[in-house]
Amino acid sequence: MKSRRSFIQKSLLSSLMLAPFSRKVTGMGISSESFIEKPISKPQVISTWNHGIAANDKAWEILSTNGNILDAVEEGVKVTEIDKSVFSVGLNGIPDREGIVTLDASIMKGDGSCGAVAFVRQVKHPITLARKVMEKTPHVLLVGEGARQFALQEGMPLEEEVLSLKARKAYNEWKIKAKYQPIINVENHDTIGMIGIDAAGEMAGSCTTSGLGYKMHGRVGDSPIIGAGLFVDGEVGAATATGLGEDVIRICGAFLIVELMRQGRTPQEACEEAVKRAVAKSKDVNNIQIGFLALNKEGAFGAFSIQPGFNYAHHNSNRQALVDSKSWF
Ligand code: GLY
């Protein structure tokens, strides 16, 4: 078993390796903020990890021209879904044990409308498919072949199933031992979750991932599970998660955070309480990572993770920044 030290070192290194954008960002990002609880401004958008910078830039193009938050969170994460340097979101992602990339995504509005897809293959933009589930069907979640058929029906062409070069290399190396060890870190996993608020005060969120690398075929994580990887209630706020989905699902992470905010906790306090619960339930806390982001309807936000190394991108009218989250360890 890896020591926590080597886990953290690996996480930090991987985070650097994955950093595709250096503009306005130095090192691992600015350290955790003391003003995090203060309402900053509307509109604003917050996304997990450093790939959130480019996603936020796209979302900001929409928000800064009075666009709506639903379009912003969809268009934002679409950037990550086709980013060839990201191996944990979209079709460039690390495959499952069978060498197949399967994708999960969800989208939610402040009025409770939501849609999701899980275990879907060959779809370039699962977040768009999730939005179509929300807007064009009476359902919330479509999975597997049904989701793929729905994509075709909606005129979304299916992509050829070819692993990216890096994913193929990683998979071939993994196959030598083929050990089933669902340990998560930023090297094999870093979902993008994005939450935001527009100038009109409307809130929405999106979450999209290729899931845990080398997962069992058919495994679905927290990202497409409304209330686990994503939850938005426009009366209160929004939350999203990254990390080991099983441990996020067990505590209904995003829903828990929004409910804690409803009861009066700040976004930061709510994220910390959710991590505390995940830690209490985890069987192997030294070897897993979970990161949460929360935003309330006043525009205050917070973030917290189990391990150091989690960061998030924040964009409002004053700044575009990558910030290191505070963590349990
Ligand atoms: N957090 C995403 C997953 O576990 O698949």
Side-chain angles (χ1 to χ4, degrees), residues 143-166:
V143 306
E145 185 54 23
R148 187 160 62 167
Q149 289 303 325
F150 179 58
L152 279 175
Q153 188 184 313
E154 286 300 313
M156 295 173 72
L158 299 181
E159 303 295 311
E160 231 185 300
E161 280 193 302
V162 184
L163 291 183
S164 66
L165 280 181
K166 182 168 173 186

Side-chain angles (χ1 to χ4, degrees), residues 227 246-254 256 274-275 277-278 281 292:
E246 283 75 3
D247 282 6
V248 177
I249 292 171
R250 269 189 262 280
I251 61 158
C252 287
L256 172 64
V275 165
R277 302 237 190 139
K281 298 271 187 254
F292 289 117

Side-chain angles (χ1 to χ4, degrees), residues 40-61:
I40 295 183
S41 63
K42 298 169 194 171
Q44 61 176 307
V45 65
I46 308 171
S47 304
T48 55
W49 303 109
N50 47 18
H51 49 215
I53 295 171
N56 284 359
D57 278 352
K58 184 68 195 176
W60 192 253
E61 275 175 36

Side-chain angles (χ1 to χ4, degrees), residues 184 189 191 209 211-212 219 221-223 242-245:
I184 204 151
H189 197 278
T191 305
T209 188
L212 183 64
R219 179 264 188 191
D222 60 311
S223 306
T242 180
L244 186 61

Side-chain angles (χ1 to χ4, degrees), residues 289-300:
Q289 175 66 308
I290 290 176
F292 289 117
L293 295 182
L295 172 69
N296 69 18
K297 72 175 181 5
E298 282 78 37

Side-chain angles (χ1 to χ4, degrees), residues 213-236:
Y214 322 119
K215 61 194 174 187
M216 287 177 70
H217 190 60
R219 179 264 188 191
V220 169
D222 60 311
S223 306
I225 308 297
I226 298 297
L230 178 68
F231 196 72
V232 185
D233 182 336
E235 300 296 312
V236 179

Side-chain angles (χ1 to χ4, degrees), residues 175-190:
K175 270 201 303 190
I176 295 167
K177 288 192 179 158
K179 195 170 173 197
Y180 187 58
Q181 193 178 22
I183 287 176
I184 204 151
N185 58 32
V186 297
E187 189 176 29
N188 66 11
H189 197 278
D190 54 317

Side-chain angles (χ1 to χ4, degrees), residues 44-63 72 75-77 79-80 192-195 312-316 319-322:
Q44 61 176 307
V45 65
I46 308 171
S47 304
T48 55
W49 303 109
N50 47 18
H51 49 215
I53 295 171
N56 284 359
D57 278 352
K58 184 68 195 176
W60 192 253
E61 275 175 36
I62 295 165
L63 292 176
E75 293 301 324
V77 303
V79 171
T80 321
I192 184 157
M194 174 184 279
I195 50 180
Y312 61 91
H314 178 236
H315 202 143
N316 66 5
R319 69 169 192 173
Q320 181 237 44
L322 182 68

